[in-house]
Amino acid sequence: MAKPEMKPLFEERMKKLLSDANDFVRYKEIVHTKPLNYIRCNTLKISCDELFVRLNKRWKVVRPFKEHKEIMLVESELGPGQLGNAIEHLLGYYYIQEVCSMMSVIALDPKPGDRVLDVCASPGSKTTQMAARMENKGTLIANDVKLDRLRILAANLERCGVMNSVVVRNDGVGLCNRLARDGFKFDKILLDAPCSGEGTLRSSAKAFLMWNVKVVDKLSREQKKLIANAIKCLKVGGELVYSTCTHSPEENEEIVDFALKNFPVSVEKVHLPLKCRIGVTHWEGAEYSKEMEKTCRIYPQDNNSEGFFVSKIKLLEEVK
Ligand SMILES: C[S@@+](CC[C@H](N)C(=O)[O-])C[C@H]1O[C@@H](n2cnc3c(N)ncnc32)[C@H](O)[C@@H]1O
């Protein structure tokens, strides 16, 4: 089915964000193509080498990143549902996950034994990725507000053999508020926030249709509340990754800038295996700190991927 056209205001905003007309043409072309078939090896169940050999007997599979052998790209032409119905998927040997979506956890880098909070966790792509990095050691609290999505999260955790997680259902703002009040502090927090999904145009026609600047502004207000409360749950020296699958600065740099201006945090540079462009420092009359240049914008035309935003902040002193 042909994708619907971009709304004129969306197109105008993307032109302002991208460097020139040619960049925009490349962007517009790629968002009308299908995304690639990326999977992530679940090292809780199988080694990367073993899975690679096994899958290559059936499909052409490559590992595009030397430092991240768990990231695999299936290059063979696949029929609908073929990746999801494969026995290795049912056994939890791999997770079907767009490559951009893997970047938040690479940036956060949770370790075995860490105490980690996943504020908006469903359906669990990044929770399962964190559990694998943590080798099922330490504590991983996986929260989401939506019950139907939590069911999928729970099923994914089970399929992937995650043993160090506690699943809870709360509004992230209230949860973080209560955890902070009761003195629960985390080494690492992932805030993979609800967003307008501008980066998901390749896989979702809905994102073209649903886009609306009022929704962007509403989400921006919610995201500020989420980050403000999540920061209160960090240990001093603890790190929080804020990520979205959208391009709008109101939902990205504006949120990190808000955190920087209202809390004792620093913005940390993120190092990712994808091509990143630096975050913007002004947008539609708003000025953001130059520190926003440490944040990372991932565009589909740079990586043959979806679009994404990743940033990392560190808590410098206790927040009351
Ligand atoms: C971008 S998705 C998270 C994707 C997930 N991190 C993953 O990698 O699979 C955002 C999630 O936030 C949840 N959400 C929306 N508002 C929330 C809130 N106030 N508190 C907690 N979760 C919320 C949504 O239900 C949705 O599952």
Side-chain angles (χ1 to χ4, degrees), residues 190-297:
L190 177 62
L191 178 50
D192 188 40
C195 71
S196 57
E198 294 170 1
T200 63
L201 300 185
R202 290 180 79 178
S203 55
S204 157
K206 207 172 99 194
F208 276 100
L209 297 170
M210 302 293 286
W211 189 87
N212 178 325
V213 79
K214 284 196 183 127
V215 174
V216 169
D217 291 336
K218 180 171 172 279
L219 284 162
S220 177
R221 289 191 293 276
E222 284 174 22
Q223 291 153 348
K224 282 179 193 149
K225 283 190 214 153
L226 281 165
I227 203 168
N229 285 280
I231 286 170
K232 293 184 203 158
C233 294
L234 275 176
K235 286 182 185 170
V236 175
E239 291 178 331
L240 178 149
V241 161
Y242 175 81
S243 57
T244 69
C245 55
T246 207
H247 298 303
S248 63
E250 293 91 334
E251 298 178 69
N252 292 326
E253 290 86 348
E254 186 167 315
I255 308 306
V256 185
D257 187 68
F258 162 82
L260 186 64
K261 288 179 177 153
N262 290 282
F263 295 93
V265 295
S266 58
V267 182
E268 303 291 304
K269 183 108 189 79
V270 285
H271 302 280
L272 300 174
L274 292 181
K275 180 176 173 195
C276 290
R277 301 194 195 183
I278 57 171
V280 301
T281 52
H282 34 259
W283 175 250
E284 306 286 66
E287 292 283 331
Y288 308 135
S289 160
K290 191 143 172 55
E291 289 295 289
M292 295 313 116
E293 291 187 350
K294 291 181 182 163
T295 66
C296 170
R297 296 191 145 257

Side-chain angles (χ1 to χ4, degrees), residues 95 97 101-102 104-105 118-130 143-150 153 156 168-175 190-195 219 222 226 243-245 308:
Y95 196 104
Q97 187 177 4
S101 149
M102 302 181 200
S104 319
V105 173
D118 191 352
V119 185
C120 301
S122 296
S125 322
K126 301 177 189 74
T127 319
T128 52
Q129 191 181 356
M130 290 199 283
N143 174 67
D144 204 278
V145 76
K146 293 194 186 132
L147 190 58
D148 51 338
R149 288 176 67 87
L150 274 171
L153 167 74
N156 279 328
V168 290
R169 181 196 180 193
N170 290 278
D171 162 40
V173 174
L175 174 72
L190 177 62
L191 178 50
D192 188 40
C195 71
L219 284 162
E222 284 174 22
L226 281 165
S243 57
T244 69
C245 55
F308 213 71

Side-chain angles (χ1 to χ4, degrees), residues 74-90:
V74 183
E75 292 192 330
S76 308
E77 196 61 42
L78 297 172
Q82 219 181 326
L83 266 186
N85 289 329
I87 184 72
E88 291 83 358
H89 183 250
L90 301 175

